[in-house]
């Protein structure tokens, strides 16, 4: 449980200040119904359906604004969730797994003027995408490595690797889509609750989110292109195998004809000839050699 006075800086307070001051309250989920809250703020309600895993959620009612931004899972890091409520002059953050403290450390306040709660909320939202571009660049690097492996005909566990990257890209794309919708809703429906500076900052935030979403879409198309290259490599390998099988079948087809011919139950003069058996062997070998030479000349073998 922490309280800050919102001004030119965030001044840490020992207790909740008088009602007429702008306050930032940072509370853990278990403190929401026991700790004192700034005036005009009620605790944000969890989703009715516990299976609801939307990344972004926003609710506006009677001059109060509540919402959530849940960052997509990246690597093995713990889930990060940014839950907020704004009412009157104050702002409430719900601290899940210490993430609110991390966000406040990354916050950069404008120098030389006091900040309001709505401007602080806009800055806190902007912090949620501070490491988004490096995350997308890391995914792009993994895709590039995967493409090089495909071109080098090293496709071991390709499907598993590509499936993992695609899942991450899908999460990123959904996150930016929902985050962009949250920003636009705040700008349009929450204009009465936000000041000019906060709206301008949200406009910048919305443009950044749109750019990130476009980058994620480009990476999804890149992943599709690499999958096509992998499928082309598989098709080439299958064609090589079929080509080899066709050549082998063609080479032994005349031999099968000879075997079938002399396997008939007839009295043939070659069977009583002294050199009949060696002659058939010579003919069979000559057919095989001539066919191999022909295929090599045509560069089929």
């Amino acid at each position: 449980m922490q309280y800050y006075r919102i001004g030119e800086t965030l001044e840490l307070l020992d207790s909740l200040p008088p009602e007429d001051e702008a306050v930032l309250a940072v509370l853990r989920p278990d403190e929401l119904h026991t700790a004192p809250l700034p005036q005009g703020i009620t605790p944000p309600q969890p989703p009715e359906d516990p299976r609801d895993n939307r990344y972004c959620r926003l609710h506006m009612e009677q001059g109060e604004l509540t919402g959530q931004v849940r960052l997509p899972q990246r690597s093995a890091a713990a889930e990060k969730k940014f839950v907020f409520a704004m009412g009157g002059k104050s702002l409430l953050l719900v601290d899940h797994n210490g993430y609110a403290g991390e966000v406040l450390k990354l916050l950069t306040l404008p120098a030389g003027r006091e900040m309001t709660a709505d401007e602080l909320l806009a800055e806190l939202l902007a912090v949620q995408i501070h490491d988004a571009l490096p995350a997308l660049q890391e995914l792009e690097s993994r895709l590039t490595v995967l493409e090089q492996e495909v071109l080098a005909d090293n496709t071991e566990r390709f499907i598993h690797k590509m499936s993992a990257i695609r899942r991450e890209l899908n999460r990123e794309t959904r996150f930016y889509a929902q985050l962009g919708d949250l920003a636009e809703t705040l700008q349009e429906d929450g204009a009465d609750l936000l000041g000019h500076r906060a709206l301008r900052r949200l406009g910048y935030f919305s443009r950044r989110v749109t750019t990130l979403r476009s980058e994620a879409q480009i990476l999804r198309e890149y992943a599709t292109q690499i999958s096509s290259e992998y499928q082309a490599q598989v098709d080439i390998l299958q064609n090589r195998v079929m080509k080899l099988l066709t050549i082998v079948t063609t080479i032994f087809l005349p031999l099968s004809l000879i075997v079938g011919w002399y396997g008939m139950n007839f009295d043939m003069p070659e069977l009583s000839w002294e050199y009949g058996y060696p002659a058939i062997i010579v003919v069979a070998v000559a057919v095989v050699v001539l066919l191999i030479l022909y295929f090599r000349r045509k560069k089929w073998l």
Side-chain angles (χ1 to χ4, degrees):
M1 177 172 51
Q2 292 178 318
Y3 299 101
Y4 299 85
R5 180 181 288 111
I6 302 175
E8 292 187 9
T9 61
L10 290 178
E11 179 186 351
L12 183 61
L13 304 174
D14 296 329
S15 61
L16 191 65
E19 294 180 352
D20 60 340
E21 293 194 30
V23 179
L24 168 65
V26 182
L27 305 178
R28 296 193 307 272
D30 58 330
E31 297 174 333
L32 285 176
H33 300 284
T34 57
L37 297 176
Q39 184 183 21
I41 290 182
T42 56
Q45 298 299 318
E48 296 179 1
D49 187 352
R51 295 171 298 177
D52 185 359
N53 66 342
R54 286 182 295 170
Y55 290 106
C56 301
R57 188 182 298 108
L58 187 65
H59 180 69
M60 289 176 283
E61 185 178 3
Q62 297 179 352
E64 187 176 3
L65 183 67
T66 60
Q68 165 191 293
V69 176
R70 183 171 62 86
L71 275 67
Q73 192 78 19
R74 291 167 181 160
S75 302
E79 182 185 88
K80 296 180 179 181
K81 186 187 294 185
F82 174 71
V83 180
F84 61 89
M86 189 185 76
K89 297 181 178 180
S90 299
L91 181 65
L92 167 67
L93 296 184
V94 183
D95 192 5
H96 292 267
N97 302 324
Y99 181 59
E102 295 179 24
V103 171
L104 292 178
K105 291 178 182 178
L106 296 171
L107 193 64
T108 302
L109 300 180
R113 65 176 179 84
E114 291 191 357
M115 178 174 283
T116 57
D118 56 346
E119 293 176 60
L120 180 60
L121 175 61
E123 292 294 338
L124 289 170
L125 287 173
V127 170
Q128 305 310 306
I129 56 173
H130 78 283
D131 61 345
L133 194 55
L136 291 178
Q137 289 173 340
E138 191 268 339
L139 286 172
E140 183 180 10
S141 299
R142 288 166 59 187
L143 284 172
T144 302
V145 171
L146 204 55
E147 183 180 30
Q148 295 300 321
E149 291 179 353
V150 169
L151 295 177
D153 205 15
N154 179 19
T155 56
E156 183 180 2
R157 293 184 60 81
F158 171 85
I159 295 177
H160 296 82
K161 296 175 183 178
M162 179 57 77
S163 178
I165 294 176
R166 276 184 167 168
R167 283 196 301 270
E168 293 182 46
L169 282 172
N170 289 337
R171 286 197 295 264
E172 295 287 339
T173 304
R174 286 196 302 271
F175 171 62
Y176 297 131
Q178 295 179 21
L179 197 60
D181 182 65
L182 181 144
E184 291 175 3
T185 303
L186 273 175
Q187 288 177 282
E188 295 175 7
D189 300 341
D192 295 338
L193 303 177
L194 305 173
H196 173 70
R197 288 193 179 96
L199 288 172
R200 187 173 61 184
R201 186 61 173 165
L202 278 174
Y204 165 77
F205 170 69
S206 179
R207 291 190 296 273
R208 283 283 314 276
V209 171
T210 301
T211 300
L212 291 170
R213 185 181 180 186
S214 298
E215 290 293 326
Q217 290 283 10
I218 290 172
L219 289 182
R220 291 180 69 182
E221 293 172 5
Y222 185 27
T224 302
Q225 176 185 337
I226 295 174
S227 297
S228 299
E229 292 175 359
Y230 166 74
Q231 187 59 48
Q233 289 286 75
V234 171
D235 292 341
I236 290 172
L237 179 61
Q238 290 178 343
N239 289 338
R240 288 174 181 171
V241 173
M242 293 302 298
K243 180 180 176 182
L244 179 61
L245 290 176
T246 302
I247 290 174
V248 171
T249 302
T250 304
I251 289 175
F252 283 92
L253 186 60
L255 304 184
S256 300
L257 177 62
I258 294 173
V259 170
W261 182 274
Y262 285 97
M264 292 187 297
N265 191 17
F266 291 104
D267 186 14
M268 299 181 182
E270 297 92 335
L271 298 179
S272 58
W273 184 33
E274 180 181 359
Y275 300 103
Y277 184 68
I280 294 300
I281 293 177
V282 171
V283 170
V285 172
V287 168
V288 172
V289 171
L290 289 173
L291 285 175
I292 291 176
L293 292 175
Y294 177 76
F295 290 141
R296 289 181 65 88
R297 183 178 179 181
K298 292 291 185 177
K299 297 183 179 179
W300 294 346
L301 185 64

